[in-house]
Amino acid sequence: MSSLTTPSLSPAARLRGLKPDWLADPKVWRTEVLAGLVVALALIPEAISFSVIAGVDPALGLFASFTMAVTIAVVGGRRAMISAATGAVALVIAPLNREHGLGHLVAAVILAGLFQVVLGALGVAKLMRFIPRSVMVGFVNSLAVLIFMAQVPEMRDVPWAVYPLITGGLALMVLFPRITTVVPAPLVSIVILTAITVGAAIAVPTVGDKGALPSSLPVPGLPDVPFTLDTLTTIAPYAFAMALVGLMESLMTAKLVDDITDTPSNKTRESVGQGIANIVTGLFGGMGGCAMIGQTMINVKVSGARTRLSTFLAGAFLMVLCVAFGPIVSDIPMAALVAVMVMVSFATFDWHSVAPGTLRRMPAGEIAVMVITVVCVVATHNLAIGVVVGSVTAMVVFARRVARFADVTSVTGPDGATVVHRVTGELFFASSNDLVGRFDYANDPDHVVIDLSAAHIWDASSVAALDAIGAKYARRGKTVEITGLNDPSARLHGRLTGELAAEH
């Protein structure tokens, strides 16, 4: 008698199964390495610019980008996402640095990391499910607008040669993939434009003009501040704001990458990982950061990276380029990096969302939410504010829409002694407030039946409204019978009825 058995794998085969994708497949390895290099090159001027916003030495922004990327590659929950120094974080902590100095800024970064670890452990990532699609589309589109707007200053008051260089860079990135995709088009564009400007001695703004690159690796240490309650109360508000902004941008970016790659991510791990990365960054004297959306798009959408290797190498290459190849990197024309970021902004924008056909079919409320999200983000240059305002607007639109579906139909019995009011729809604060005015208290017969078999009670406001209806009938000597409650509605009604009305 024979039996089916599963063949056992040899130790070597089991070991091969444990290898990460980038180690098992040379093509994946090449894609990840080149993607990391492109992102590292794009990180340098961005990190320097954000350092200027925060009012710190450019080296601190570069150190932050290095430690954030390397750490999050290990502890983060979203593969291939890039975390580094960001403008949103810089805007939050700039006043603290201006008023109290660098020591307090670094201490705030560490405390923000602790806040993020706690918030992540408490499940703050679960709040992501309350962000509707219209807000997500607005987030993506506003991101694309901000990326483009950030390049505009690099195209003002510059030598005329900058414009053909940017045009040439864009042309290379559009046409080169038709020849081969072995090497990322942005990397080819950067190399060719750098060779042209250096070889022809064309005087245009370069990466070196943004600030001096560090010549050594960062050294760990504690912030130079008095460890007192006064220091804690000073840095805590900034740290908490930084933690919230960083988590929101990181989780929104993770969700965006999930959609682009059609792969899931662990949002709780990402939240905790962001905290750990900021703690490490603070201990190395960096300015802190979060997920960097533009560079993530370069990594995932433009370069095709999908693993943690590209994130790790983006940080590692950043330090190698600064420390070992600083003079060469300093000669890269800003026009090359501007061209890359302009391409990223066009690739990021959801053009389908603004197509005439889409707008004709989309409910007006959803279009309004998307527009409000974009306007808030562009006006404040803060993605977190736009997402919060957009989400609140979406909730109001949804509440108004659902409230309109609550209705009352009335049927009087043949004997004229009973009337049945059939309530349909969802009963909550927005719909139940209007419910009280839907009954004819003076002219209804003495026995009133309120049939809720086609309705659902969601909150205390609805129970209070039903109590108010019953009280109005009672004052006229009429009795009210409530029927048809489903189990959850019956439990809520039974627990709260008679307990909500004020005593008179």
Side-chain angles (χ1 to χ4, degrees):
M1 181 174 165
S2 63
S3 61
L4 294 174
T5 60
T6 301
S8 60
L9 296 174
S10 66
R14 285 197 297 270
L15 185 61
R16 285 195 299 271
L18 294 174
K19 287 183 179 180
D21 293 343
W22 57 266
L23 194 58
D25 188 342
K27 291 183 179 179
V28 174
W29 182 86
R30 183 181 62 236
T31 298
E32 301 297 309
V33 172
L34 294 175
L37 180 57
V38 174
V39 172
L41 289 169
L43 275 173
I44 293 174
E46 295 277 302
I48 295 173
S49 298
F50 298 145
S51 300
V52 173
I53 293 173
V56 300
D57 188 275
L60 299 186
L62 292 166
F63 289 158
S65 297
F66 162 59
T67 53
M68 287 292 297
V70 168
T71 305
I72 206 68
V74 178
V75 300
R78 171 66 259 177
R79 292 181 297 173
M81 191 166 78
I82 305 297
S83 289
T86 59
V89 169
L91 288 170
V92 171
I93 60 177
L96 178 63
N97 179 62
R98 187 168 54 248
E99 295 172 15
H100 299 279
L102 180 60
H104 282 73
L105 182 151
V106 174
V109 170
I110 297 174
L111 182 59
L114 292 172
F115 281 142
Q116 289 176 327
V117 170
V118 172
L119 290 170
L122 291 175
V124 70
K126 295 177 182 177
L127 297 176
M128 284 297 295
R129 68 176 182 269
F130 294 108
I131 298 178
R133 182 186 178 278
S134 53
V135 174
M136 191 67 194
V137 173
F139 169 82
V140 171
N141 290 346
S142 57
L143 159 66
V145 173
L146 286 184
I147 292 174
F148 183 83
M149 288 175 61
Q151 312 314 309
V152 173
E154 304 296 337
M155 295 183 275
R156 288 179 180 161
D157 302 321
V158 292
W160 67 268
V162 167
Y163 303 109
L165 286 173
I166 293 175
T167 304
L170 291 171
L172 280 170
M173 284 182 284
V174 171
L175 299 175
F176 189 78
R178 299 181 182 180
I179 301 173
T180 179
T181 57
V182 172
V183 182
L187 181 59
V188 174
S189 177
I190 292 170
V191 171
I192 290 177
L193 293 187
T194 302
I196 291 173
T197 55
V198 172
I202 302 174
V204 293
T206 64
V207 170
D209 296 332
K210 287 289 184 180
L213 302 181
S215 58
S216 61
L217 295 174
V219 178
L222 294 175
D224 183 19
V225 294
F227 291 86
T228 62
L229 183 60
D230 183 59
T231 300
L232 180 62
T233 55
T234 299
I235 66 174
Y238 295 95
F240 192 66
M242 174 185 163
L244 292 179
V245 169
L247 282 180
M248 185 169 293
E249 291 212 19
S250 299
L251 293 175
M252 290 291 287
T253 306
K255 189 174 186 304
L256 179 59
V257 177
D258 290 351
D259 295 339
I260 292 173
T261 63
D262 198 24
T263 57
S265 62
N266 187 329
K267 304 298 191 302
T268 297
R269 177 177 172 179
E270 181 61 35
S271 301
V272 174
Q274 287 290 329
I276 295 172
N278 272 306
I279 292 171
V280 172
T281 297
L283 292 175
F284 277 90
M287 58 176 275
C290 62
M292 203 170 193
I293 309 169
Q295 273 63 22
T296 297
M297 291 298 100
I298 294 175
N299 196 46
V300 173
K301 202 164 188 177
V302 178
S303 301
R306 293 293 183 270
T307 77
R308 297 178 184 273
L309 180 63
S310 58
T311 305
F312 179 87
L313 289 179
F317 282 148
L318 174 64
M319 275 294 98
V320 171
L321 290 169
C322 291
V323 175
F325 300 99
I328 297 175
V329 173
S330 296
D331 287 335
I332 295 175
M334 283 302 300
L337 299 177
V338 168
V340 171
M341 298 309 294
V342 169
M343 181 62 72
V344 169
S345 71
F346 275 89
T348 301
F349 196 90
D350 186 352
W351 296 101
H352 177 72
S353 67
V354 295
T358 303
L359 294 176
R360 282 196 299 270
R361 290 188 294 269
M362 191 73 66
E366 304 234 355
I367 296 173
V369 169
M370 180 181 71
V371 172
I372 288 171
T373 302
V374 172
V375 170
C376 286
V377 171
V378 174
T380 64
H381 283 65
N382 191 320
L383 290 161
I385 292 176
V387 170
V388 170
V389 173
S391 297
V392 171
T393 305
M395 291 176 188
V396 173
V397 170
F398 174 77
R400 285 175 56 85
R401 184 184 303 162
V402 174
R404 288 200 297 268
F405 291 122
D407 196 17
V408 179
T409 55
S410 304
V411 177
T412 303
D415 56 359
T418 302
V419 63
V420 178
H421 296 294
R422 190 168 191 267
V423 181
T424 59
E426 307 300 321
L427 300 183
F428 63 111
F429 62 90
S431 58
S432 59
N433 288 335
D434 296 331
L435 190 65
V436 179
R438 303 293 297 276
F439 299 87
D440 189 354
Y441 302 100
N443 300 317
D444 275 349
D446 291 341
H447 185 215
V448 177
V449 177
I450 299 178
D451 179 11
L452 297 176
S453 57
H456 186 97
I457 298 176
W458 286 104
D459 60 6
S461 296
S462 303
V463 177
L466 291 172
D467 286 351
I469 293 168
K472 285 178 177 291
Y473 277 116
R475 283 196 292 270
R476 292 169 172 80
K478 302 175 182 181
T479 60
V480 175
E481 179 186 358
I482 295 178
T483 64
L485 288 169
N486 58 35
D487 289 343
S489 298
R491 286 194 295 271
L492 182 63
H493 185 267
R495 188 168 68 249
L496 296 179
T497 186
E499 302 294 331
L500 301 173
E503 294 292 337
H504 297 289

